[in-house]
Amino acid sequence: MPITPATATHSSSNGTAEAILLELVDEDGNTIGTAEKLAAHQAPGQLHRAFSVFLFDERGRMLLQQRALGKYHSPGVWSNTCCGHPYPGEAPFAAAARRTHEELGVSPSLLAEAGTVRYNHPDPESGLVEQEYNHLFVGMVQAPLRPDPAEVGATAFATAAELAERHAKDTFSAWFMTVLDAARPAIRELTGPSAGW
């Protein structure tokens, strides 16, 4: 498995290696503990807190990202603007804003909560499982992107019609349609009826 920021340990202030921990939750989204990131994704998967961000430009086009090839999970596939996991005790909203900036080099404008969705999506390629209680966010992107190549392989803006065409021919993350469908009411509210979402 390639070493990426997601799978690497990082050094704590006393120089010891510290694993990246995720917040484990129950079916209602209440915190019940923590688990190391990779362990939480190994079959059958442990239900953990996650977030998904959908950003749009002023024309109502969705910002998509292609996950970098070095990612430990679902490398090279297309997905929503940004997704990830809060650190234990970190508010999902803060984590969503932080990771969007870390991955894409922009701070979202008008970022708003768009509900939650719970799912279980195995990834046949890696054998890993996305067993997630996902907090959804929608917002605007109004600054030039500066993607981190370790995280993002490519980006693209797509209208609803262009996304349907792209989804038919390109490989998307297993969770993409689940989170998109759950976020659609908030997306429509943000982009207006003419955008077609």
Side-chain angles (χ1 to χ4, degrees):
M1 177 182 312
I3 300 298
T4 71
T7 58
T9 56
H10 59 279
S11 295
S12 65
S13 56
N14 64 8
T16 59
E18 190 178 314
I20 295 175
L21 297 178
L22 304 186
E23 203 168 79
L24 300 180
V25 298
D26 64 18
E27 293 292 337
D28 296 316
N30 300 307
T31 303
I32 58 171
T34 60
E36 190 277 323
K37 185 173 187 175
L38 186 57
H41 288 88
Q42 290 172 332
Q46 298 176 70
L47 184 60
H48 58 274
R49 194 176 310 284
F51 65 83
S52 290
V53 177
F54 295 86
L55 297 184
F56 296 82
D57 67 9
E58 67 285 347
R59 293 166 48 193
R61 299 180 304 167
M62 182 187 295
L63 174 58
L64 301 171
Q65 83 153 263
Q66 185 181 34
R67 294 165 63 84
L69 292 176
K71 291 277 216 182
Y72 80 107
H73 189 355
S74 303
V77 304
W78 287 90
S79 199
N80 50 292
T81 307
C82 179
C83 49
H85 310 91
Y87 294 127
E90 182 181 26
F93 184 94
R98 173 180 58 79
R99 284 302 293 161
T100 301
H101 189 269
E102 289 171 358
E103 291 187 11
L104 294 159
V106 293
S107 295
S109 304
L110 305 172
L111 192 64
E113 293 183 12
T116 59
V117 63
R118 191 261 196 253
Y119 52 79
N120 177 0
H121 286 299
D123 175 29
E125 291 291 317
S126 66
L128 299 174
V129 177
E130 287 290 3
Q131 186 88 253
E132 295 186 329
Y133 187 93
N134 196 309
H135 297 257
L136 308 171
F137 299 93
V138 300
M140 303 289 292
V141 60
Q142 298 176 308
L145 302 176
R146 297 184 317 279
D148 176 355
E151 299 284 347
V152 181
T155 60
F157 283 95
T159 65
E162 289 166 346
L163 176 59
E165 291 175 14
R166 184 182 283 271
H167 193 263
K169 65 181 178 69
D170 292 334
T171 304
F172 276 72
S173 63
W175 62 88
F176 177 74
M177 287 308 298
T178 302
V179 293
L180 174 59
D181 287 344
R184 277 187 199 276
I187 290 171
R188 289 186 192 112
E189 187 175 332
L190 176 72
T191 59
S194 63
W197 293 104

